[in-house]
Amino acid sequence: MDGTKIKNMEEFAALSGISRPTISKYFNDPDSVRPKTRERIEEALERYDYRPNIFAINQNRKMTKNIGIVVPYLADPFFGEIARNIEQRCIDAGYRPTLFSSHGERDLEIDILDSLRSLKPAGVLLAPLGRASDRSKIEDFCNEVPTVLFDSNIDGVGEAFVGSDNFSFVSQSVDYLMDSGEPPVFFEMRNPANPNANKRRAAYIQKMESMGQTPHVLKIEGEGWAFEEIGRQGAFEVLDGKALPSDTILCSNDRLAIGFLAACYERGIRVGRAEGCAMRVASHDDHPFSKFTCPALTTVAHDYDSVAGHSVETLFSLIENGGKFRARTETLYPARFILRASA
């Protein structure tokens, strides 16, 4: 034994050099991991004299291996991709994930949480609707079931949140657009469905003012999650009304930008950074379809793997700690700029 005092499974994973999901999978069923990996874990257990707090692991899940995953709109490939990533990580750790979509509806989100209670899950990974959510209902659920929020934060609710740094998104896009052409105009919904949009608008205003520029925010009408059509109709309004103070448009998210590109095509406006183009369009998210638009969309990408991986790791730690942390944690991952043909 090396004498190091280990408090929890997360510290054991860091010291042993073995991933947290693999260790969790071993404690659920030692035969479920490969023999060489099992041998490494058992050698580390002997070396550090570590045994997990099985009571803390099981007291909230009541011996089930169920994990709930809730997203606001599964028809959106962004949520499909991150849910797939999370689901696979849970399976690899020996859990049984169940995926739910609230389809942008508050009442359905509440019904899903009620259904999850009956499954007695070990824990839940929840991407809430945000502005449309019933805060009190989600807060009550988080107090009853170990829950980690991801993608969309509700300040002060739950034990942890994992998501992307919206200032990082906007800072990178504005820097590039300012360096390469006219100052960008921010294009968004008047009543955005996702609270990340509000953070991006605030970041745009802050960034533009810090550069001595006047921010211009174009708010378009539209409710719900049909962002492409909302973006298309909103683009028609600003293009036909000649309401653009710049030839550079920065959309709040890629799905709005896809609609904007469609409107430009229908109006015969050439978009891109090549000679002869009349407008530049950029956005945020690196939606799975953004590389296939015409022209391909310049955007800023989520770190899908880190957000998914840390969300799962945080949930496992929360389960191990009996469903409570000493203090609420928030983890934000920086974005990555992707230059394509649209700007």
Side-chain angles (χ1 to χ4, degrees), residues 68-81:
I69 304 169
V70 186
V71 298
Y73 201 72
L74 193 55
D76 186 330
F78 164 76
F79 288 111
E81 174 61 20

Side-chain angles (χ1 to χ4, degrees), residues 118-236:
S118 67
L119 292 176
K120 296 184 172 58
V124 169
L125 290 151
L126 169 63
L129 295 175
R131 183 175 64 89
S133 294
D134 185 323
R135 179 189 173 99
S136 65
K137 296 289 187 183
I138 291 181
E139 199 163 19
D140 289 346
F141 182 83
C142 291
N143 288 333
E144 297 172 29
V145 179
T147 302
V148 171
L149 305 187
F150 71 96
D151 181 65
S152 176
N153 195 12
I154 300 178
D155 291 338
V157 173
E159 297 294 311
F161 168 72
V162 181
S164 298
D165 182 351
N166 285 292
F167 185 82
S168 171
F169 275 94
V170 178
S171 178
Q172 292 183 66
S173 58
V174 170
D175 277 341
Y176 168 73
L177 294 171
M178 288 292 298
D179 287 345
S180 57
E182 291 189 11
V185 174
F186 194 78
F187 182 80
E188 68 162 0
M189 294 167 60
R190 187 175 302 280
N191 296 304
N194 190 303
N196 287 325
N198 298 322
K199 293 181 173 65
R200 291 175 186 179
R201 182 200 325 111
Y204 163 78
I205 293 170
Q206 178 183 341
K207 182 68 177 178
M208 291 289 284
E209 290 178 343
S210 73
M211 301 175 81
Q213 298 291 324
T214 301
H216 293 281
V217 177
L218 290 176
K219 293 180 177 289
I220 60 172
E221 300 301 328
E223 291 280 347
W225 291 80
F227 298 148
E228 292 86 1
E229 182 58 23
I230 292 170
R232 176 173 169 269
Q233 292 299 329
F236 284 146

Side-chain angles (χ1 to χ4, degrees), residues 51 58 193 220 266 294:
R51 293 295 180 273
N58 289 328
I220 60 172
E266 293 182 54
C294 188

Side-chain angles (χ1 to χ4, degrees), residues 320-332:
E320 180 188 346
N321 282 278
K324 296 292 180 184
F325 289 145
R326 290 183 180 177
R328 188 178 192 267
T329 66
E330 290 192 11
T331 306
L332 300 178

Side-chain angles (χ1 to χ4, degrees), residues 60-87:
N60 279 290
R61 64 185 169 115
K62 297 182 180 178
M63 301 304 291
T64 78
K65 294 183 180 180
N66 300 325
I67 294 286
I69 304 169
V70 186
V71 298
Y73 201 72
L74 193 55
D76 186 330
F78 164 76
F79 288 111
E81 174 61 20
I82 198 165
R84 180 200 62 78
N85 197 321
I86 287 173
E87 189 176 37

Side-chain angles (χ1 to χ4, degrees), residues 288-326:
F289 293 166
S290 63
K291 67 178 72 172
F292 303 113
T293 58
C294 188
L297 187 59
T298 290
T299 187
V300 187
H302 291 272
D303 186 343
Y304 285 93
D305 286 344
S306 293
V307 171
H310 192 69
S311 296
V312 172
E313 293 276 349
T314 302
L315 181 62
F316 290 164
S317 295
L318 183 60
I319 293 168
E320 180 188 346
N321 282 278
K324 296 292 180 184
F325 289 145
R326 290 183 180 177

